[in-house]
Amino acid sequence: VGAAGSAAQLAALGPATTFIDGSLYLFAFLNVATTNLYASAIARGKSEKVNRVGNDELPGEGVVRTAAKTSLYSGLGLMVFLLMVARPLIALYIGPEAAASPGLLDAAHEYVKIRALSMPTSLLGGVLQAALLGAKDSVTPLISILYSTIVNVSGDYLLVNRMHMGLKGAAIATLLAQLAGTIAMIRPARRKLLSKGSSLGLVPRWITKSAPDEINGRTFLKFAAPVLTLILGKISAFGFMTNAAAGLPGQPATLAAHQIALSLFFFASPFLEVISQTAQTFLPAYGVLPEPSRGKSADVAEWERESERFVFRLEKVGLFVGAMIASVVGSIVAFFPGIVTKDAAVQAAARPLASILAAGAFLTAPVAVSEGTLIARKELKYLAGVYVVSTALLPPVLRRIRAGGGPVSQVWICFALFQLFRSTCFLGRLLLRRPGKKEE
């Protein structure tokens, strides 16, 4: 959109994508719960349950069914909610100054309405991917992402560049891409996560007459609820930033520059989140001691030390990947802004964000890895406390920046400090909880 459209369309894309992706990300706690509960079920071993055709169920089947059903029903509810109340919420979100810009609110609302139709399949695809990662299958999600990327890029080219449909075309392309990615995962997920004759449980149990699972919706949501605090903290941070950027002078170039930085950060995040998911996938196995070997019981202390060595190997990998991806996104803004926008005013407004964006992306590496480790160890209350404190400190500072009419770079400096605070808290927790520290 930035390369083929106007600054106004790019400015509308900012709050629209933040709003719809924030709504979707609000339910990311389902993915976190799925990965952890499934990996824990795998670590515990064989299931005692038999499915309707008499085959022994695989470990974790109950988690998969509960996650799939919960995600689908949540997606349907979210879709209806967004279709009903999206416009006034977007207007409130961006504020009166940005809403008064000609066509901005209409374009953002149209984008959200189209993207809302993908909520059920997006949430379902998310938990299937999380379960596959919990089963240590990274190939199937990668193939799904490949299908999704091909559909998205092809759709953007045809609908935005060739047919000049602007934001509407971008929304349709993303909708089709999310649908393609989920469809590509369903059959492999059934084959790898479920025994023969088992289903994903998307049809209500009163119709199928199936027995209840050991992990029901209440148990699932009880584990997932504390994770929601983490998700809310992340969403609110980006929401407050976009709200502050929308109220600064120089619109629509200022908000468009903020959207470029935000989009590049979201591009960088998956490279780091995958390391967080690796921690959530493999660390639950360290919660179950190995079987006795040659009559000797497992060495608990050595098992804990092995867990710590694994964690800090991930931290090193995260810092390396963070440095690489930070240099990429920073270089795009500083030296190649034409990749993301052809508007000279937007390019000029975005360039001062290059080094700050790179710093924020780099600091996300220790945040992601440490957060994944603490989630796997179920230290959710500590994580939630850090997010509550950091999220409470951010809005007052951003309000002062907005009221003072400061440059948009100040908004991103706040975000870099936000990431620094969280990384310090999370890494500090891991260092203090090392087995060597306990023994001392």
Side-chain angles (χ1 to χ4, degrees):
V1 174
S6 64
Q9 286 229 325
L10 185 59
L13 182 64
T17 52
T18 305
F19 184 84
I20 194 70
D21 291 338
S23 301
L24 188 61
Y25 193 58
L26 183 63
F27 288 85
F29 69 90
L30 297 174
N31 306 345
V32 174
T34 301
T35 298
N36 278 268
L37 292 174
Y38 187 84
S40 298
I42 292 295
R44 286 194 300 269
K46 184 178 179 180
S47 171
E48 301 295 330
K49 191 176 177 183
V50 177
N51 66 16
R52 61 181 178 175
V53 298
N55 293 325
D56 291 334
E57 289 196 349
L58 300 176
E61 279 197 31
V63 175
V64 175
R65 278 192 293 270
T66 301
K69 182 166 54 179
T70 304
S71 65
L72 184 64
Y73 294 170
S74 298
L76 289 170
L78 179 59
M79 178 185 72
V80 172
F81 176 79
L82 290 174
L83 291 174
M84 291 175 61
V85 300
R87 187 179 182 88
L89 288 179
I90 296 171
L92 179 65
Y93 175 58
I94 64 178
E97 298 94 340
S101 298
L104 192 149
L105 180 58
D106 290 336
H109 180 222
E110 183 177 46
Y111 181 92
V112 169
K113 284 195 301 181
I114 296 170
R115 286 284 308 275
L117 299 175
S118 70
M119 294 299 101
T121 52
S122 295
L123 293 184
L124 176 60
V127 297
L128 291 179
Q129 178 176 311
L132 287 164
L133 291 172
K136 301 179 177 61
D137 175 13
S138 58
V139 176
T140 302
L142 187 62
I143 293 173
S144 169
I145 292 171
L146 179 62
Y147 277 115
S148 181
T149 301
I150 291 173
V151 173
N152 202 0
V153 171
S154 302
D156 280 337
Y157 176 74
L158 291 173
L159 300 176
V160 179
N161 292 73
R162 307 299 298 177
M163 299 176 67
H164 306 290
M165 293 176 65
L167 277 186
K168 183 178 180 179
I172 294 173
T174 305
L175 167 66
L176 295 176
Q178 290 173 327
L179 181 61
T182 300
I183 291 174
M185 262 192 297
I186 289 178
R187 181 176 292 181
R190 291 189 62 179
R191 187 175 64 250
K192 296 180 180 182
L193 303 177
L194 305 175
S195 59
K196 188 175 182 180
S198 296
S199 70
L200 285 173
L202 301 180
V203 179
R205 199 169 62 245
W206 61 267
I207 296 178
T208 61
K209 308 297 182 182
S210 59
D213 291 309
E214 69 278 9
I215 298 291
N216 56 31
R218 184 175 299 178
T219 306
F220 188 86
L221 293 175
K222 184 178 179 181
F223 176 88
V227 183
L228 183 58
T229 307
L230 281 61
I231 304 301
L232 287 172
K234 295 179 183 180
I235 292 173
S236 58
F238 295 124
F240 290 134
M241 290 169 61
T242 300
N243 180 268
L248 296 177
Q251 302 296 345
T254 300
L255 186 57
H258 167 75
Q259 169 58 24
I260 287 173
L262 197 60
S263 297
L264 288 172
F265 178 80
F266 288 154
F267 163 78
S269 293
F271 293 92
L272 304 170
E273 290 294 338
V274 72
I275 307 175
S276 173
Q277 290 177 326
T278 301
Q280 295 173 51
T281 299
F282 287 91
L283 279 176
Y286 288 99
V288 179
L289 290 175
E291 294 293 328
S293 176
R294 297 179 181 177
K296 295 182 179 179
S297 59
D299 186 337
V300 177
E302 178 58 30
W303 195 236
E304 290 181 348
R305 283 192 290 271
E306 180 59 32
S307 171
E308 294 299 326
R309 284 193 287 267
F310 175 74
V311 168
F312 283 94
R313 282 197 296 270
L314 286 181
E315 293 285 0
K316 291 177 182 178
V317 172
L319 290 174
F320 174 76
V321 174
M324 295 295 292
I325 200 67
S327 63
V328 170
V329 296
S331 296
I332 289 174
V333 176
F335 306 113
F336 311 105
I339 295 175
V340 288
T341 179
K342 301 299 183 185
D343 191 291
V346 177
Q347 291 182 12
R351 278 197 179 93
L353 304 180
S355 59
I356 310 166
L357 171 62
F362 175 73
L363 289 169
T364 303
V367 170
V369 179
S370 303
E371 184 181 283
T373 301
L374 293 171
I375 289 174
R377 293 176 175 174
K378 297 180 173 58
E379 296 198 39
L380 301 178
K381 289 184 179 178
Y382 178 79
L383 283 168
V386 172
Y387 270 100
V388 168
V389 172
S390 58
T391 305
L393 294 174
L394 187 63
V397 180
L398 290 173
R399 280 199 299 268
R400 292 192 63 177
I401 294 173
R402 176 171 174 154
V408 71
S409 59
Q410 293 182 2
V411 173
W412 280 87
I413 289 173
C414 283
F415 176 69
L417 294 174
F418 177 77
Q419 295 294 75
L420 178 62
F421 175 79
R422 291 197 298 155
S423 63
T424 302
C425 292
F426 296 162
L427 281 172
R429 181 74 167 186
L430 293 179
L431 291 171
L432 289 174
R433 290 299 184 94
R434 295 182 73 178
K437 293 288 183 181
K438 294 179 183 177
E439 295 168 3
E440 293 170 9

